[in-house]
Amino acid sequence: MDSRKICILGDFAVGKTSLVRRFVRNQFSDRYLTTIGVKVDTKVVRLDNDRELKLAIWDVAGTDTPTELFLRYTRGAAGYLLVADSTRADTLACCTALHDALTADRRAIPYVLLVNKIDLNQQRELDATAARQLFTDALDCLDSSALTGDNVELAFQRLATGILEQPRENCAGRVD
Ligand code: G3D
Ligand code: MG
């Protein structure tokens, strides 16, 4: 089966680890440690026309700024999820910094932007409509919630579809 590396990127505590947990195990937990080091989960996504793609999802702590470590860990990725927190508008600036660093480091690769924690509507400072103005080259900008599961599956599906639609010579991130 075709397999690709993807990364989940964004500022501290925006919900990266929670989104991966929701997607891979359909769980939400508020009792686990902040990610220490690298965690790689894999999951097979089923796309239209019965196509399948195995995603190796890299979730790494301490990559909220575009350091050398950040660039090293994203190398070989075929795509990424960029996550902001709807209750903290400033987390979008982090997404911009990470996106710009990645774009400068190599060819642009497909990504989906998520404005997460959309369930916290009383504290909302930001939504996907606002984010879309800034991230015009994103495959999609979606509001999401790792708590309710809103748009989590869809985000990974959109990314997987976008990766498979890449031209053949641009097949970064193969892990098979
Ligand atoms: P990170 O991996 O990006 O650092 P985490 O973020 O997944 O560790 O999540 C940080 C905190 O936000 C956690 O709370 C987690 O439960 C919460 N969280 C993540 N996603 C959502 C969401 O969609 N909705 C809500 N309401 N909370 C979310 P704690 O309290 O453990 O720090
Ligand atoms: Mg984490």
Side-chain angles (χ1 to χ4, degrees), residues 16-17 34-35 59:
K16 301 179 296 296
T17 302
T34 300
T35 321
D59 175 15

Side-chain angles (χ1 to χ4, degrees), residues 11-19 28-32 34-35 59 116-120 144-148:
D11 211 344
F12 181 74
V14 294
K16 301 179 296 296
T17 302
S18 304
L19 286 163
F28 181 84
S29 165
D30 50 10
R31 290 185 60 242
Y32 57 89
T34 300
T35 321
D59 175 15
N116 192 42
K117 307 193 190 179
I118 209 72
D119 57 283
L120 298 174
S144 70
S145 170
L147 177 64
T148 65

